[in-house]
Amino acid sequence: MSNIAELLKGAAEVFPDEVVTQAHVRHLDLPADAGRFALITLDNGFDHTKPTSFGPQSLANIDAAIDQVEREAADGTIVGVGVTGKPFVFAVGADLKGVGLLRSRDEAAAIGQAGHDVFARLGAIAVPAFAYYNGAAMGGGVEIGLHCQYRTVSSSIAAFSFPEVFLGLVPGWGGCTLLPNLIGAGPAVNVIIENALNQNRQLKGEQVFELGIADAIFEAADFLEQSLVWTAAVLKGELEVVRPEIDRGEAWDQAVEWGRAVADSKVHGAAPGAYRALDIIARVKDGDVAAGFEAETEALADLVMSGELRSGIYAFNLVQGRAKRPAGAPDKNLARPVNKVGVVGAGLMASQLALLFVRRLQVPVVLTDVDQERIDKGVGYVHAEVDKLLGKGRIDQDTANRLKGLVTGVLDKAEGFSDADFVIEAVFEEMGVKQQVFAEVEAVVPETAILATNTSSLSVGEMAAGLAHPERVVGFHFFNPVAVLPLLEVVRGERTDDASLATAFAVAKKLRKTAVLVKDAPAFVVNRVLTRFMGEIQNVIDEGTPVDVAERAVEPLGLPMSPLVLLELVGPAIGLHVSETLHAAFPDRFTVSQNLRAVVEAGKRGFYVHDSGKPELDPDVLALMRQGDRVLTQEQVRDRVLDAVAEEIGLMLDDGVVAEAQDIDLCLITGAGWPFHLGGVTPYLDREGVSERVLGRRFLPPGVASVPATA
């Protein structure tokens, strides 16, 4: 048995439930009498909804296919070999379910080595190897193509990326070594580091070609046929593929340093994947492929056994799995149809909601407000945003006309809502105002209409208490910006019935939002956790710790932005309001900062000014602040903040605010942009020992978002 086979056999025993990818070899005669050609098609036997991935048995199948074409190349019976995928999918890389099962560094190193050994054989065959990126390609799917001498790409591809750094890994089957040596360090750092850390930004087919990753681009309709015509021309010498010379001088070093700056700005050293990838890119400046592959395998072995990666896989599975099957959602068959939507309010939030509803549901959407000027402004906003989509080529002219025609505004709620099936309010965050709005709406809508509130912190049950039909009121809390953040907290009031809740979940699915069922508790999930988190930061500042010390204290978490920058984004007035709401509910844990109140009363938008291009503390705000004399170190601040967050999450779970800790994490990932390497937050609190220190227990069992214990 070969060394590769031994490695893969051992790995396969760890992962018995792998969805196995086959590597089918078929032969065809190339156009223009260019010769006989072997084409390997990667296919796991499922449609595009279950993309092709690589586990140990899949790698063994590819290895066996290469055995066959290697013999044929040596015999002179083929002139070339190609690799392509099933319809719409090329391959999306390593099977993360299998990665999560690995229990030792040796097992992780074996998978890293096996991937290198199998893929590298493609480039060593006695005839040229071609990759035909016909569909989605990620991670190892991109890498198998990089081991070939030539590549083509379909213009229809919308998902092409290296997501590894986003998850806490490195492209470890050749990506960190081969990509910079193909397109240069600068573009490679952009693809491997910057795109990954920008929420796994994807490349489209045209970009793949423009970057030089692919040598040719063809339309999807006849992609394989055109790729084979192109292949024939290359093999016959009629077409020469010329690639630009790579700058291996100062530009390479500058690209790596720029990558480190990007990583620092995104994760602040908290997740090692980006830095290990940059180390490898720096290492292969001289083109030493063997050294690069060795460094990749070592990095994989280390990172696969890290808590950051296990948290990343856990987070990935939450977003891909739990998000699609919301815990506690009623039977979907109870949902009522929604053929018309009403929006109370025409401000920015309401207008964003109207745009989302009309785009996704494509039903009439009617806005109301207190005067015609506001209504016209709201409708105008939606129309302008539709025109932007048209200008970007996201929709065609007919669709733009239809969407704009579906959005209207009226002053009279009876006129606008008499036949609405779903009405959502997005008015001022004050209980009396919202109760009055719902009373007015209930009087004019059909008895089966759902009444939804976009409240961020107020009680849904109290809002519905005075209505004739409180059972149809549901919380529907979006996060700003609505078009970007996926989370939708669906709040069940004390009297909300299953049909109303089922309708809310059905609408959320059509809106393509991640819906999480939450109890009607103050500030629900995200705002409650963030307010406790930011409240402790504010407390230590008020007590005397310098602002910059308090801000830097939580940098090791690698959050998307510092607490006070986040407060600026949310708006100090909103932050103050939520803290007041939570202080009223839980006065022993939530404080109301008088310094924050002073900032709001002074009309300040935040603690910082941005005149120099980077945030600097506003001297006017500093002059307003009154601090005590208790100064903490960064470590003391961090411990205090994390202890508070762990305590609050423990209390939320005890109170049944959500079904499980996984839902807290899903909310923080999709509603607050908290990073995958934290797993949301509970895996991090477990990993750092905070949960056991504060609560005497872990949030998650060992092996969930952490390395499984060895037998």
Side-chain angles (χ1 to χ4, degrees), residues 5-32:
E6 288 176 5
L7 288 175
L8 293 174
K9 182 175 184 294
E13 290 170 356
V14 177
F15 187 21
D17 299 324
E18 175 186 352
V19 177
V20 177
T21 294
Q22 304 297 328
H24 304 290
V25 181
R26 63 187 175 105
H27 297 87
L28 45 88
D29 293 321
L30 288 171

PDB file of all heavy atoms in Angstrom, residues 5-32:
ATOM      1  N   ALA A   5      -2.135   6.094   0.302  1.00  0.00           N
ATOM      2  CA  ALA A   5      -3.249   5.202   0.630  1.00  0.00           C
ATOM      3  C   ALA A   5      -3.311   4.920   2.121  1.00  0.00           C
ATOM      4  O   ALA A   5      -4.393   4.874   2.718  1.00  0.00           O
ATOM      5  CB  ALA A   5      -3.119   3.901  -0.154  1.00  0.00           C
ATOM      6  N   GLU A   6      -2.151   4.757   2.732  1.00  0.00           N
ATOM      7  CA  GLU A   6      -2.120   4.494   4.176  1.00  0.00           C
ATOM      8  C   GLU A   6      -2.658   5.694   4.961  1.00  0.00           C
ATOM      9  O   GLU A   6      -3.439   5.550   5.910  1.00  0.00           O
ATOM     10  CB  GLU A   6      -0.686   4.182   4.616  1.00  0.00           C
ATOM     11  CG  GLU A   6      -0.180   2.816   4.161  1.00  0.00           C
ATOM     12  CD  GLU A   6       1.281   2.596   4.550  1.00  0.00           C
ATOM     13  OE1 GLU A   6       1.843   3.473   5.238  1.00  0.00           O
ATOM     14  OE2 GLU A   6       1.836   1.568   4.150  1.00  0.00           O
ATOM     15  N   LEU A   7      -2.217   6.888   4.560  1.00  0.00           N
ATOM     16  CA  LEU A   7      -2.690   8.100   5.230  1.00  0.00           C
ATOM     17  C   LEU A   7      -4.207   8.226   5.117  1.00  0.00           C
ATOM     18  O   LEU A   7      -4.902   8.519   6.096  1.00  0.00           O
ATOM     19  CB  LEU A   7      -2.030   9.340   4.614  1.00  0.00           C
ATOM     20  CG  LEU A   7      -0.551   9.585   4.896  1.00  0.00           C
ATOM     21  CD1 LEU A   7      -0.065  10.784   4.094  1.00  0.00           C
ATOM     22  CD2 LEU A   7      -0.314   9.835   6.378  1.00  0.00           C
ATOM     23  N   LEU A   8      -4.720   7.998   3.908  1.00  0.00           N
ATOM     24  CA  LEU A   8      -6.147   8.189   3.667  1.00  0.00           C
ATOM     25  C   LEU A   8      -6.983   7.099   4.326  1.00  0.00           C
ATOM     26  O   LEU A   8      -8.096   7.358   4.790  1.00  0.00           O
ATOM     27  CB  LEU A   8      -6.425   8.241   2.163  1.00  0.00           C
ATOM     28  CG  LEU A   8      -5.837   9.481   1.467  1.00  0.00           C
ATOM     29  CD1 LEU A   8      -6.019   9.386  -0.031  1.00  0.00           C
ATOM     30  CD2 LEU A   8      -6.499  10.754   1.996  1.00  0.00           C
ATOM     31  N   LYS A   9      -6.454   5.897   4.385  1.00  0.00           N
ATOM     32  CA  LYS A   9      -7.185   4.812   5.035  1.00  0.00           C
ATOM     33  C   LYS A   9      -7.366   5.132   6.528  1.00  0.00           C
ATOM     34  O   LYS A   9      -8.452   4.973   7.091  1.00  0.00           O
ATOM     35  CB  LYS A   9      -6.445   3.481   4.866  1.00  0.00           C
ATOM     36  CG  LYS A   9      -7.170   2.269   5.468  1.00  0.00           C
ATOM     37  CD  LYS A   9      -6.430   0.993   5.139  1.00  0.00           C
ATOM     38  CE  LYS A   9      -7.198  -0.227   5.664  1.00  0.00           C
ATOM     39  NZ  LYS A   9      -7.268  -0.258   7.120  1.00  0.00           N
ATOM     40  N   GLY A  10      -6.310   5.620   7.156  1.00  0.00           N
ATOM     41  CA  GLY A  10      -6.402   5.975   8.572  1.00  0.00           C
ATOM     42  C   GLY A  10      -7.374   7.115   8.801  1.00  0.00           C
ATOM     43  O   GLY A  10      -8.170   7.092   9.748  1.00  0.00           O
ATOM     44  N   ALA A  11      -7.330   8.108   7.919  1.00  0.00           N
ATOM     45  CA  ALA A  11      -8.229   9.252   8.067  1.00  0.00           C
ATOM     46  C   ALA A  11      -9.681   8.854   7.834  1.00  0.00           C
ATOM     47  O   ALA A  11     -10.593   9.338   8.515  1.00  0.00           O
ATOM     48  CB  ALA A  11      -7.821  10.364   7.100  1.00  0.00           C
ATOM     49  N   ALA A  12      -9.911   7.954   6.880  1.00  0.00           N
ATOM     50  CA  ALA A  12     -11.274   7.508   6.578  1.00  0.00           C
ATOM     51  C   ALA A  12     -11.904   6.801   7.770  1.00  0.00           C
ATOM     52  O   ALA A  12     -13.117   6.879   7.993  1.00  0.00           O
ATOM     53  CB  ALA A  12     -11.269   6.599   5.350  1.00  0.00           C
ATOM     54  N   GLU A  13     -11.093   6.116   8.561  1.00  0.00           N
ATOM     55  CA  GLU A  13     -11.613   5.425   9.743  1.00  0.00           C
ATOM     56  C   GLU A  13     -12.117   6.415  10.787  1.00  0.00           C
ATOM     57  O   GLU A  13     -13.039   6.117  11.556  1.00  0.00           O
ATOM     58  CB  GLU A  13     -10.526   4.525  10.334  1.00  0.00           C
ATOM     59  CG  GLU A  13     -10.204   3.317   9.448  1.00  0.00           C
ATOM     60  CD  GLU A  13      -8.970   2.560   9.912  1.00  0.00           C
ATOM     61  OE1 GLU A  13      -8.330   3.027  10.879  1.00  0.00           O
ATOM     62  OE2 GLU A  13      -8.642   1.525   9.293  1.00  0.00           O
ATOM     63  N   VAL A  14     -11.530   7.616  10.818  1.00  0.00           N
ATOM     64  CA  VAL A  14     -11.969   8.660  11.749  1.00  0.00           C
ATOM     65  C   VAL A  14     -13.295   9.276  11.290  1.00  0.00           C
ATOM     66  O   VAL A  14     -14.081   9.769  12.091  1.00  0.00           O
ATOM     67  CB  VAL A  14     -10.885   9.768  11.860  1.00  0.00           C
ATOM     68  CG1 VAL A  14     -11.345  10.911  12.761  1.00  0.00           C
ATOM     69  CG2 VAL A  14      -9.584   9.172  12.379  1.00  0.00           C
ATOM     70  N   PHE A  15     -13.552   9.199   9.997  1.00  0.00           N
ATOM     71  CA  PHE A  15     -14.694   9.911   9.382  1.00  0.00           C
ATOM     72  C   PHE A  15     -15.547   8.930   8.572  1.00  0.00           C
ATOM     73  O   PHE A  15     -15.556   8.971   7.346  1.00  0.00           O
ATOM     74  CB  PHE A  15     -14.152  11.033   8.501  1.00  0.00           C
ATOM     75  CG  PHE A  15     -15.192  11.950   7.925  1.00  0.00           C
ATOM     76  CD1 PHE A  15     -16.458  12.079   8.486  1.00  0.00           C
ATOM     77  CD2 PHE A  15     -14.894  12.721   6.817  1.00  0.00           C
ATOM     78  CE1 PHE A  15     -17.402  12.926   7.949  1.00  0.00           C
ATOM     79  CE2 PHE A  15     -15.828  13.578   6.266  1.00  0.00           C
ATOM     80  CZ  PHE A  15     -17.086  13.680   6.835  1.00  0.00           C
ATOM     81  N   PRO A  16     -16.291   8.048   9.251  1.00  0.00           N
ATOM     82  CA  PRO A  16     -17.053   7.021   8.532  1.00  0.00           C
ATOM     83  C   PRO A  16     -18.275   7.556   7.784  1.00  0.00           C
ATOM     84  O   PRO A  16     -18.793   6.885   6.897  1.00  0.00           O
ATOM     85  CB  PRO A  16     -17.475   6.055   9.643  1.00  0.00           C
ATOM     86  CG  PRO A  16     -17.497   6.901  10.884  1.00  0.00           C
ATOM     87  CD  PRO A  16     -16.418   7.916  10.716  1.00  0.00           C
ATOM     88  N   ASP A  17     -18.762   8.756   8.147  1.00  0.00           N
ATOM     89  CA  ASP A  17     -19.998   9.273   7.547  1.00  0.00           C
ATOM     90  C   ASP A  17     -19.749  10.278   6.425  1.00  0.00           C
ATOM     91  O   ASP A  17     -20.626  11.085   6.103  1.00  0.00           O
ATOM     92  CB  ASP A  17     -20.863   9.923   8.634  1.00  0.00           C
ATOM     93  CG  ASP A  17     -21.267   8.932   9.707  1.00  0.00           C
ATOM     94  OD1 ASP A  17     -21.504   7.760   9.364  1.00  0.00           O
ATOM     95  OD2 ASP A  17     -21.327   9.327  10.886  1.00  0.00           O
ATOM     96  N   GLU A  18     -18.573  10.256   5.842  1.00  0.00           N
ATOM     97  CA  GLU A  18     -18.231  11.177   4.760  1.00  0.00           C
ATOM     98  C   GLU A  18     -19.207  11.057   3.587  1.00  0.00           C
ATOM     99  O   GLU A  18     -19.597   9.954   3.208  1.00  0.00           O
ATOM    100  CB  GLU A  18     -16.812  10.871   4.279  1.00  0.00           C
ATOM    101  CG  GLU A  18     -16.367  11.681   3.067  1.00  0.00           C
ATOM    102  CD  GLU A  18     -15.010  11.230   2.537  1.00  0.00           C
ATOM    103  OE1 GLU A  18     -14.353  10.393   3.198  1.00  0.00           O
ATOM    104  OE2 GLU A  18     -14.618  11.714   1.463  1.00  0.00           O
ATOM    105  N   VAL A  19     -19.615  12.206   3.040  1.00  0.00           N
ATOM    106  CA  VAL A  19     -20.327  12.218   1.756  1.00  0.00           C
ATOM    107  C   VAL A  19     -19.251  12.130   0.676  1.00  0.00           C
ATOM    108  O   VAL A  19     -18.521  13.092   0.429  1.00  0.00           O
ATOM    109  CB  VAL A  19     -21.173  13.493   1.588  1.00  0.00           C
ATOM    110  CG1 VAL A  19     -21.830  13.510   0.212  1.00  0.00           C
ATOM    111  CG2 VAL A  19     -22.228  13.575   2.690  1.00  0.00           C
ATOM    112  N   VAL A  20     -19.146  10.974   0.055  1.00  0.00           N
ATOM    113  CA  VAL A  20     -17.974  10.659  -0.760  1.00  0.00           C
ATOM    114  C   VAL A  20     -18.106  11.226  -2.173  1.00  0.00           C
ATOM    115  O   VAL A  20     -19.133  11.061  -2.833  1.00  0.00           O
ATOM    116  CB  VAL A  20     -17.753   9.134  -0.817  1.00  0.00           C
ATOM    117  CG1 VAL A  20     -16.573   8.801  -1.729  1.00  0.00           C
ATOM    118  CG2 VAL A  20     -17.511   8.586   0.587  1.00  0.00           C
ATOM    119  N   THR A  21     -17.067  11.899  -2.605  1.00  0.00           N
ATOM    120  CA  THR A  21     -16.980  12.400  -3.976  1.00  0.00           C
ATOM    121  C   THR A  21     -16.294  11.366  -4.853  1.00  0.00           C
ATOM    122  O   THR A  21     -15.226  10.854  -4.501  1.00  0.00           O
ATOM    123  CB  THR A  21     -16.177  13.719  -3.995  1.00  0.00           C
ATOM    124  OG1 THR A  21     -16.923  14.715  -3.293  1.00  0.00           O
ATOM    125  CG2 THR A  21     -15.921  14.183  -5.423  1.00  0.00           C
ATOM    126  N   GLN A  22     -16.932  11.074  -5.976  1.00  0.00           N
ATOM    127  CA  GLN A  22     -16.332  10.177  -6.961  1.00  0.00           C
ATOM    128  C   GLN A  22     -15.521  11.007  -7.960  1.00  0.00           C
ATOM    129  O   GLN A  22     -15.796  12.196  -8.162  1.00  0.00           O
ATOM    130  CB  GLN A  22     -17.416   9.381  -7.700  1.00  0.00           C
ATOM    131  CG  GLN A  22     -18.334   8.574  -6.784  1.00  0.00           C
ATOM    132  CD  GLN A  22     -17.600   7.500  -6.009  1.00  0.00           C
ATOM    133  OE1 GLN A  22     -16.608   6.933  -6.490  1.00  0.00           O
ATOM    134  NE2 GLN A  22     -18.074   7.212  -4.802  1.00  0.00           N
ATOM    135  N   ALA A  23     -14.551  10.379  -8.573  1.00  0.00           N
ATOM    136  CA  ALA A  23     -13.740  11.033  -9.613  1.00  0.00           C
ATOM    137  C   ALA A  23     -13.864  10.183 -10.871  1.00  0.00           C
ATOM    138  O   ALA A  23     -13.108   9.239 -11.087  1.00  0.00           O
ATOM    139  CB  ALA A  23     -12.295  11.164  -9.158  1.00  0.00           C
ATOM    140  N   HIS A  24     -14.878  10.484 -11.665  1.00  0.00           N
ATOM    141  CA  HIS A  24     -15.180   9.685 -12.856  1.00  0.00           C
ATOM    142  C   HIS A  24     -14.241  10.065 -14.000  1.00  0.00           C
ATOM    143  O   HIS A  24     -14.107  11.252 -14.328  1.00  0.00           O
ATOM    144  CB  HIS A  24     -16.621   9.919 -13.299  1.00  0.00           C
ATOM    145  CG  HIS A  24     -17.644   9.639 -12.233  1.00  0.00           C
ATOM    146  ND1 HIS A  24     -17.929   8.372 -11.790  1.00  0.00           N
ATOM    147  CD2 HIS A  24     -18.444  10.484 -11.511  1.00  0.00           C
ATOM    148  CE1 HIS A  24     -18.859   8.425 -10.843  1.00  0.00           C
ATOM    149  NE2 HIS A  24     -19.186   9.701 -10.662  1.00  0.00           N
ATOM    150  N   VAL A  25     -13.620   9.082 -14.627  1.00  0.00           N
ATOM    151  CA  VAL A  25     -12.735   9.326 -15.772  1.00  0.00           C
ATOM    152  C   VAL A  25     -13.460   8.916 -17.044  1.00  0.00           C
ATOM    153  O   VAL A  25     -13.952   7.785 -17.158  1.00  0.00           O
ATOM    154  CB  VAL A  25     -11.420   8.534 -15.650  1.00  0.00           C
ATOM    155  CG1 VAL A  25     -10.517   8.825 -16.857  1.00  0.00           C
ATOM    156  CG2 VAL A  25     -10.703   8.878 -14.355  1.00  0.00           C
ATOM    157  N   ARG A  26     -13.564   9.839 -17.988  1.00  0.00           N
ATOM    158  CA  ARG A  26     -14.076   9.475 -19.313  1.00  0.00           C
ATOM    159  C   ARG A  26     -13.128  10.024 -20.361  1.00  0.00           C
ATOM    160  O   ARG A  26     -12.352  10.959 -20.094  1.00  0.00           O
ATOM    161  CB  ARG A  26     -15.499   9.978 -19.532  1.00  0.00           C
ATOM    162  CG  ARG A  26     -15.677  11.489 -19.525  1.00  0.00           C
ATOM    163  CD  ARG A  26     -17.158  11.830 -19.571  1.00  0.00           C
ATOM    164  NE  ARG A  26     -17.416  13.255 -19.458  1.00  0.00           N
ATOM    165  CZ  ARG A  26     -17.770  14.039 -20.475  1.00  0.00           C
ATOM    166  NH1 ARG A  26     -17.891  13.541 -21.697  1.00  0.00           N
ATOM    167  NH2 ARG A  26     -18.008  15.333 -20.283  1.00  0.00           N
ATOM    168  N   HIS A  27     -13.203   9.452 -21.539  1.00  0.00           N
ATOM    169  CA  HIS A  27     -12.279   9.836 -22.597  1.00  0.00           C
ATOM    170  C   HIS A  27     -13.040  10.447 -23.766  1.00  0.00           C
ATOM    171  O   HIS A  27     -14.181  10.058 -24.056  1.00  0.00           O
ATOM    172  CB  HIS A  27     -11.477   8.619 -23.061  1.00  0.00           C
ATOM    173  CG  HIS A  27     -10.602   8.044 -21.977  1.00  0.00           C
ATOM    174  ND1 HIS A  27     -11.049   7.109 -21.079  1.00  0.00           N
ATOM    175  CD2 HIS A  27      -9.314   8.322 -21.640  1.00  0.00           C
ATOM    176  CE1 HIS A  27     -10.076   6.813 -20.232  1.00  0.00           C
ATOM    177  NE2 HIS A  27      -9.008   7.536 -20.549  1.00  0.00           N
ATOM    178  N   LEU A  28     -12.414  11.392 -24.395  1.00  0.00           N
ATOM    179  CA  LEU A  28     -13.042  12.031 -25.557  1.00  0.00           C
ATOM    180  C   LEU A  28     -11.955  12.481 -26.518  1.00  0.00           C
ATOM    181  O   LEU A  28     -10.782  12.633 -26.148  1.00  0.00           O
ATOM    182  CB  LEU A  28     -13.912  13.213 -25.107  1.00  0.00           C
ATOM    183  CG  LEU A  28     -13.331  14.185 -24.069  1.00  0.00           C
ATOM    184  CD1 LEU A  28     -12.552  15.288 -24.750  1.00  0.00           C
ATOM    185  CD2 LEU A  28     -14.433  14.763 -23.206  1.00  0.00           C
ATOM    186  N   ASP A  29     -12.378  12.679 -27.740  1.00  0.00           N
ATOM    187  CA  ASP A  29     -11.457  13.173 -28.763  1.00  0.00           C
ATOM    188  C   ASP A  29     -11.575  14.685 -28.837  1.00  0.00           C
ATOM    189  O   ASP A  29     -12.669  15.226 -29.037  1.00  0.00           O
ATOM    190  CB  ASP A  29     -11.790  12.547 -30.123  1.00  0.00           C
ATOM    191  CG  ASP A  29     -11.504  11.050 -30.137  1.00  0.00           C
ATOM    192  OD1 ASP A  29     -10.491  10.648 -29.544  1.00  0.00           O
ATOM    193  OD2 ASP A  29     -12.318  10.296 -30.709  1.00  0.00           O
ATOM    194  N   LEU A  30     -10.452  15.361 -28.640  1.00  0.00           N
ATOM    195  CA  LEU A  30     -10.459  16.819 -28.665  1.00  0.00           C
ATOM    196  C   LEU A  30     -10.771  17.338 -30.065  1.00  0.00           C
ATOM    197  O   LEU A  30     -10.512  16.657 -31.067  1.00  0.00           O
ATOM    198  CB  LEU A  30      -9.105  17.356 -28.211  1.00  0.00           C
ATOM    199  CG  LEU A  30      -8.787  17.216 -26.718  1.00  0.00           C
ATOM    200  CD1 LEU A  30      -7.335  17.584 -26.455  1.00  0.00           C
ATOM    201  CD2 LEU A  30      -9.719  18.083 -25.872  1.00  0.00           C
ATOM    202  N   PRO A  31     -11.329  18.540 -30.164  1.00  0.00           N
ATOM    203  CA  PRO A  31     -11.586  19.147 -31.476  1.00  0.00           C
ATOM    204  C   PRO A  31     -10.285  19.315 -32.279  1.00  0.00           C
ATOM    205  O   PRO A  31      -9.185  19.305 -31.717  1.00  0.00           O
ATOM    206  CB  PRO A  31     -12.190  20.510 -31.128  1.00  0.00           C
ATOM    207  CG  PRO A  31     -12.675  20.384 -29.712  1.00  0.00           C
ATOM    208  CD  PRO A  31     -11.777  19.387 -29.053  1.00  0.00           C
ATOM    209  N   ALA A  32     -10.455  19.488 -33.562  1.00  0.00           N
ATOM    210  CA  ALA A  32      -9.341  19.776 -34.483  1.00  0.00           C
ATOM    211  C   ALA A  32      -8.270  18.690 -34.449  1.00  0.00           C
ATOM    212  O   ALA A  32      -7.079  18.984 -34.634  1.00  0.00           O
ATOM    213  CB  ALA A  32      -8.723  21.151 -34.156  1.00  0.00           C
TER     214      ALA A  32
END
